Amino acid sequence: MKMELNDRKKKILELIIRTYMETGEPVGSRTVSKYTDLGLSSATIRNEMSDLEEMGYIIQPHTSAGRIPSDKAYRMYVDSILKDKDKEVSDMQELLIDKADKIDLLLKQVAKLLAQNTNYTSMVTKPRSLHRRIKFIQLTRMNDGQLLLLIVTQTNNVTNKFIPLDEEISDEELAQLNFLLNTALGGMDVSEISIALASKIKSQAGGFDGLVSSVLDTIAKEFADDESEVYTSGATNILKYPELMDKEKMEGLLSTFEEKQMLDVWANDPGSDEEDTEHSIKVYIGDESPIESMRDCSVVTATYKIEEGVYGKIGIVGPKRMDYEKVVGTLENCMHQLDDIFKKGHKALPDKNEEKE
């Protein structure tokens, strides 16, 4: 009858492997009985070790000695570690994606509330990192010819990109490559990825330097092309103000809010962010506006901070006769509430199911 590697045998085997790796000395039943919490006698442990030897997991180097792990035991141990790490990777990936989704939802709700409370048009950018640091990288097999590259930044923004797979790679090799990439790039600013570092990673990639090149090229291109996403709300509120009802001006404004390309000029304006005072409340009147279609309006903006180096912007657009006191007060209140939320580690972020249309 074929013996099974049950939980008790696995626990004893793992203890033998760990003990031998630490001491380099053969492990006997008495040593195992001291460290195991199974509550087994030395006789029972000897029987289990005898079974493990028969199954090929441990060997006795010489008579009257303890046992040492076999290659088969090391293989099982390594596979188990890789499996556990893959689960940790998967759990972390789900957590980070969930957080990113919740930040998006929060900012959309902020845009809606600001438009409702002020009767003007609101603009809110997603957070962007001035020093875009990589938090996590994961390569996942999609099919024989393609991998999915997941990139998570310190802002919890998640990017997915497909990478062609031109060479065979086993699951174990893929797990090791993920470990290498995260060890080398985790916590690093994208701008710090030098040619020397890229060469070092490739030299450690075990023949998968081409795949590493594809990953690094994808990261570089993704961040080079990165643009701030802007959420808008209350665009039709501008129709309430006669001075903005000129057909050409109105169409230009509505087009700006709908197409959003022009909003990138404001979102990526270096005139605020970390060099400014707290919350960076700024008022642009008429021609002072960085957006041409808003030169007949006033724009009041503020900067929110998630953490050091990670910022986003909020803006209120209305007529030049807008209620500045109310708008500035509303933005200040909004900034303080966002500060409280982000300082609490996003605990107050709304659940995805709470979004209202």
Side-chain angles (χ1 to χ4, degrees):
M1 181 177 177
K2 187 176 181 181
M3 282 183 287
E4 234 180 81
L5 190 63
N6 55 32
D7 290 341
R8 189 162 76 178
K9 285 183 172 63
K10 283 181 182 178
K11 191 157 190 175
I12 291 172
L13 177 58
E14 183 177 342
L15 196 144
I16 292 171
I17 294 171
R18 287 183 179 275
T19 304
Y20 181 69
M21 288 171 67
E22 290 172 5
T23 66
E25 297 291 333
V27 182
S29 58
R30 185 174 296 180
T31 301
V32 174
S33 65
K34 289 179 181 178
Y35 293 101
T36 181
D37 56 0
L38 291 174
L40 302 176
S41 67
S42 293
T44 302
I45 292 173
R46 280 196 297 271
N47 289 333
E48 294 288 7
M49 290 176 66
S50 178
D51 290 345
L52 288 170
E53 186 174 2
E54 189 176 336
M55 295 167 72
Y57 286 106
I58 56 177
I59 56 178
Q60 191 173 25
H62 50 81
T63 308
S64 301
R67 270 68 166 182
I68 64 174
S70 66
D71 290 350
K72 181 179 179 181
Y74 284 127
R75 167 51 52 208
M76 187 213 71
Y77 181 67
V78 170
D79 288 347
S80 176
I81 291 174
L82 293 175
K83 184 178 179 181
D84 289 343
K85 291 300 179 185
D86 282 345
K87 186 178 186 307
E88 288 177 17
V89 162
S90 178
D91 291 345
M92 184 183 297
Q93 177 178 331
E94 290 177 8
L95 175 63
L96 294 176
I97 291 173
D98 186 51
K99 281 190 175 182
D101 287 346
K102 287 182 178 178
I103 290 176
D104 289 352
L105 172 56
L106 171 66
L107 297 178
K108 288 176 184 177
Q109 290 179 337
V110 167
K112 289 180 182 179
L113 288 172
L114 288 174
Q116 291 169 0
N117 291 343
T118 62
N119 263 329
Y120 303 129
T121 303
S122 65
M123 311 179 293
V124 180
T125 72
K126 288 182 65 172
R128 66 189 181 97
S129 176
L130 300 182
H131 314 287
R132 291 165 293 187
R133 294 189 178 277
I134 295 171
K135 177 179 283 189
F136 183 70
I137 295 175
Q138 171 73 5
L139 283 168
T140 304
R141 188 191 308 279
M142 300 304 293
N143 52 52
D144 290 339
Q146 211 171 39
L147 295 175
L148 177 66
L149 172 64
L150 173 81
I151 309 167
V152 182
T153 68
Q154 291 288 356
T155 63
N156 289 334
N157 286 329
V158 180
T159 300
N160 295 303
K161 292 292 178 182
F162 288 104
I163 292 182
L165 183 60
D166 299 325
E167 50 199 325
E168 291 294 326
I169 184 169
S170 69
D171 291 341
E172 181 182 346
E173 289 168 331
L174 189 60
Q176 291 171 344
L177 189 58
N178 278 322
F179 180 78
L180 170 64
L181 289 169
N182 280 283
T183 300
L185 303 177
M188 178 166 287
D189 189 310
V190 173
S191 63
E192 297 171 347
I193 303 177
S194 62
I195 294 176
L197 177 61
S199 298
K200 181 179 178 182
I201 299 173
K202 290 177 188 177
S203 69
Q204 297 173 339
F208 296 102
D209 52 317
L211 182 53
V212 169
S213 290
S214 296
V215 170
L216 296 178
D217 290 346
T218 300
I219 292 173
K221 184 176 184 301
E222 181 61 26
F223 282 97
D225 295 342
D226 187 34
E227 295 181 349
S228 297
E229 185 171 351
V230 184
Y231 304 120
T232 61
S233 186
T236 55
N237 282 344
I238 62 173
L239 302 177
K240 299 176 182 178
Y241 305 98
E243 61 267 48
L244 300 176
M245 286 296 289
D246 176 85
K247 183 179 179 183
E248 187 175 339
K249 294 176 181 177
M250 181 182 65
E251 287 178 349
L253 266 175
L254 290 176
S255 176
T256 298
F257 292 127
E258 184 177 346
E259 301 298 332
K260 298 185 180 180
Q261 289 95 331
M262 287 300 296
L263 296 182
D264 288 336
V265 176
W266 164 69
N268 296 303
D269 178 15
S272 61
D273 298 330
E274 66 178 346
E275 294 180 359
D276 287 334
T277 57
E278 185 179 9
H279 295 154
S280 306
I281 299 289
K282 291 182 176 293
V283 180
Y284 301 89
I285 300 173
D287 289 341
E288 296 173 354
S289 172
I291 303 174
E292 187 174 352
S293 62
M294 296 180 186
R295 299 286 163 83
D296 291 304
C297 304
S298 282
V299 183
V300 182
T301 69
T303 300
Y304 67 86
K305 182 172 90 170
I306 291 182
E307 59 185 67
E308 195 61 40
V310 183
Y311 297 81
K313 293 185 180 181
I314 297 177
I316 303 292
V317 183
K320 294 178 185 178
R321 60 184 174 94
M322 72 159 55
D323 187 340
Y324 293 101
E325 186 176 359
K326 178 182 179 181
V327 169
V328 170
T330 299
L331 278 179
E332 276 285 8
N333 183 49
C334 179
M335 293 300 101
H336 287 302
Q337 290 188 48
L338 286 176
D339 284 348
D340 288 342
I341 290 172
F342 294 132
K343 283 176 184 176
K344 291 174 183 175
H346 312 319
K347 288 179 182 177
L349 291 181
D351 188 88
K352 286 184 281 187
N353 297 324
E354 293 177 2
E355 184 172 12
K356 305 293 183 184
E357 292 298 333

